Amino acid sequence: MENLQQGADTGERRLMSRINAALRTNYQLITRTDALKDPYDPSFVLPRYFLLLAELDEIDSVQSQLAIALQQESPTVARVVQLMNQKLNLITGALYDAMVETMLPSPSRVNISESGLSFYARERIPPGSHVHLTLSHPENAFHLAATARVVYSEDEDLEGFRTGAYFISLHPNDRAKLAESINQKLTEENELDQFRTMDDY
């Protein structure tokens, strides 16, 4: 039974590791009081930027509807508008990357689930500490914010400190997006495994 459980844990860690490689993760140390705040409170560093992205998403939604009509009336103009929108998205993504790199630590080897995550941090974060987390889709399709409590921090020599935390505050819609992202990655991994199995024959 113990071996079976160890096998399950190993499989879960392997899958979560691959899933999480697709999400950019950053953290900010916060107080216990701040951990109870809304993760999108403007007092945190990144949510101010998230609010701007949310407004841009609303504009994109309206623009997409107009683009359908424009495509039928003037395909050339519609194509120009589409290219301009792609250019703006690239600029927005580049600004986001530059801002995050200079303002917040970015952990490595992140494993994530709907209830929490583990990662390797450069510096030890004492158990009982609280962190504000941001999880971003690599193509900026979505950005999530959450607060979490650190439950362990283990020294892994050159790897850094293996740190585990569970979510304290994560909006239901964000949890659903996270679950969808995890399930999508699991599906991709399963399809890839099946493809590799077919190659073995």
Side-chain angles (χ1 to χ4, degrees):
M1 183 69 174
E2 184 178 350
N3 291 338
L4 183 62
Q5 182 62 43
Q6 287 176 350
D9 291 343
T10 301
E12 182 180 354
R13 284 197 298 270
R14 178 180 66 83
L15 290 172
M16 288 298 128
S17 177
R18 294 185 182 183
I19 288 169
N20 242 346
L23 295 178
R24 291 190 309 239
T25 306
N26 296 89
Y27 67 90
Q28 171 188 2
L29 286 173
I30 58 175
T31 65
R32 181 179 181 181
T33 302
D34 286 342
L36 300 177
K37 290 182 179 179
D38 186 317
Y40 291 94
D41 190 292
S43 63
F44 298 123
V45 175
L46 283 180
R48 293 193 294 271
Y49 182 75
F50 286 174
L51 293 175
L52 173 61
L53 290 176
E55 292 176 1
L56 291 175
D57 285 342
E58 291 181 11
I59 295 174
D60 283 344
S61 178
V62 174
Q63 185 180 23
S64 295
Q65 295 175 0
L66 295 175
I68 295 174
L70 186 60
Q71 179 68 34
Q72 296 174 349
E73 297 176 10
S74 179
T76 303
V77 174
R79 179 60 178 160
V80 170
V81 171
Q82 181 187 14
L83 291 173
M84 289 178 63
N85 193 43
Q86 288 177 353
K87 185 176 181 180
L88 287 173
N89 286 339
L90 289 172
I91 293 172
T92 302
L95 289 173
Y96 174 83
D97 292 340
M99 183 183 69
V100 167
E101 287 178 5
T102 57
M103 296 173 68
L104 295 176
S106 180
S108 60
R109 294 180 59 185
V110 182
N111 293 317
I112 195 165
S113 70
E114 294 174 53
S115 60
L117 75 168
S118 67
F119 56 86
Y120 283 80
R122 298 188 191 100
E123 299 179 356
R124 184 175 185 272
I125 305 175
S129 300
H130 295 82
V131 292
H132 181 267
L133 296 159
T134 55
L135 308 168
S136 301
H137 189 274
E139 297 176 0
N140 298 314
F142 62 79
H143 301 273
L144 311 181
T147 60
R149 184 176 187 271
V150 175
V151 291
Y152 65 83
S153 180
E154 303 168 350
D155 190 354
E156 296 284 344
D157 298 325
L158 297 178
E159 294 275 0
F161 294 88
R162 185 169 181 268
T163 307
Y166 65 85
F167 295 129
I168 294 175
S169 182
L170 178 65
H171 287 196
N173 289 342
D174 288 349
R175 194 180 299 275
K177 286 181 182 178
L178 188 58
E180 182 181 354
S181 178
I182 291 172
N183 289 333
Q184 181 180 356
K185 195 65 178 180
L186 280 172
T187 301
E188 292 174 0
E189 288 294 331
N190 289 335
E191 291 175 352
L192 184 59
D193 287 342
Q194 290 176 2
F195 181 74
R196 287 172 178 165
T197 302
M198 291 174 61
D199 281 351
D200 291 338
Y201 288 101

